[in-house]
Amino acid sequence: AEKVLGYDLLSLCLEGPRDALDRTQHCQPAVGRGTRRLGPARGAADGRLGPVSPQVVERCVAAAGYSVGEFAALVFAGALGFDEALYAVKVRAEAMQKASEAVPSGMLSVIGRREANYKFACLEARKHCESLGIENPVCTVSNYLFPDSRVIAGHLQALEFLQENARKYYFKRTKMLPVSGAFHTRLMEPAVQPLAEVLKSIEIQKPLLSVYSNVDGKKYMHSKHIQKLLVKQVVSPVLWEQTMHSVYERKQGTEFPYTYEVGPGNQLGAILKQSILKQCNLKAWKQYKHVNTLEDEEAAEI
């Protein structure tokens, strides 16, 4: 990773400083590095899932990654090589960091009541920004997490307006996310071309198992499809709720799969004290397991 990135990522992760690690240009490669721990798609018994069961990887039927995690899923499925994927993430992260610095923007995680109308709330937030003199303001749903939960991204003034008027729009809880910009909105358009160029130079294989795209919640079909949608994902909302429905759709009576989340946090298991997976599919949540890469490494060292 250090050779690909040109800086000591491990030291940054372990020693900080935290504000440097939180920057998009460093945070995304730090998350992406975890793909190495999975090993190749087949026979990765010595990877992070190995201690759970050697058969887990061999019997894997599908993979999905949230936002930058989609690169991890594609590495796991054998569609991307680790070095190439990490370099693409580096280019993506630096371009998104630059786009973020151009406009004061951010992301707001929202849990709403059934009556919540997110599109109307965003419309009024944009009108508020226009009243402040902001031209072409951005405020839109950027992540569909689970029923009654969304991430809204856009100009900071719009997000502040939504927080101040949360009760009016039937938002039960709101929380600003620790990110530097409005990811998965048109404010990230400056990052599109750099990522498109680097993906053209990378050899992309057809995945060895089904990998689901954030853009439409459907399976990737071939290498050109992957290349196209990874670029589109930067400016498109993450359809995570829809992806979960696609992944777990099966005929009545069909054996239900186990779900493993690999990484340093159980974001799929819980976010804002709610379980994304439980809200999307109760049966899937009952067979969910979080594999903490950091804890596994520490146990191995002991």
Side-chain angles (χ1 to χ4, degrees), residues 10 171 179 201:
L10 180 59
F171 295 166
V179 296
S201 68

Side-chain angles (χ1 to χ4, degrees), residues 41-244:
R42 303 297 180 189
D46 58 341
R48 289 299 93 197
L49 289 176
V52 179
S53 168
Q55 288 78 39
V56 167
V57 176
E58 293 170 6
R59 295 178 181 175
C60 186
V61 294
Y66 186 89
S67 192
V68 71
E70 202 158 271
F71 286 85
L74 289 164
V75 169
F76 175 71
L80 294 174
F82 172 76
D83 291 3
E84 292 82 2
L86 186 58
Y87 181 70
V89 169
K90 175 181 185 291
V91 171
R92 178 186 189 269
E94 290 174 350
M96 290 173 72
Q97 177 71 49
K98 190 173 181 180
S100 299
E101 292 170 354
V103 179
S105 57
M107 304 181 80
L108 181 72
S109 184
V110 177
I111 292 180
R113 302 185 187 282
R114 291 298 168 92
E115 308 95 311
N117 187 326
Y118 301 96
K119 288 186 177 180
F120 177 69
C122 289
L123 175 63
E124 292 215 324
R126 290 195 297 272
K127 287 182 178 178
H128 169 72
C129 287
E130 288 172 350
S131 72
L132 298 177
I134 299 173
E135 295 183 8
N136 300 315
V138 172
C139 184
T140 186
V141 174
S142 63
N143 304 73
Y144 291 81
L145 296 174
F146 56 83
D148 303 321
S149 180
R150 304 285 186 268
V151 174
I152 296 174
H155 283 79
L156 281 180
Q157 296 90 333
L159 304 183
E160 290 166 356
F161 172 83
L162 291 178
Q163 281 195 297
E164 292 168 3
N165 295 277
R167 185 172 295 181
K168 175 183 177 181
Y169 300 115
Y170 300 101
F171 295 166
K172 289 194 293 185
R173 236 179 308 171
T174 63
K175 180 181 179 181
M176 287 295 296
L177 299 180
V179 296
S180 57
F183 304 154
H184 305 292
T185 72
R186 62 179 172 83
L187 287 178
M188 291 295 110
E189 283 179 356
V192 166
Q193 193 58 33
L195 179 59
E197 290 298 322
V198 74
L199 287 175
K200 286 178 184 177
S201 68
I202 292 175
E203 184 178 2
I204 303 176
Q205 306 287 342
K206 183 178 179 179
L208 298 174
L209 67 157
S210 297
V211 179
Y212 290 77
S213 168
N214 287 178
V215 173
D216 57 11
K218 298 177 181 178
K219 298 176 186 177
Y220 281 117
M221 303 306 294
H222 48 74
S223 58
K224 288 292 184 183
H225 194 211
I226 293 171
Q227 180 181 316
K228 178 183 177 182
L229 292 192
L230 280 180
V231 173
K232 190 175 181 181
Q233 189 229 57
V234 172
V235 291
S236 302
V238 173
L239 305 185
W240 192 253
E241 179 185 343
Q242 295 85 336
T243 299
M244 292 294 95

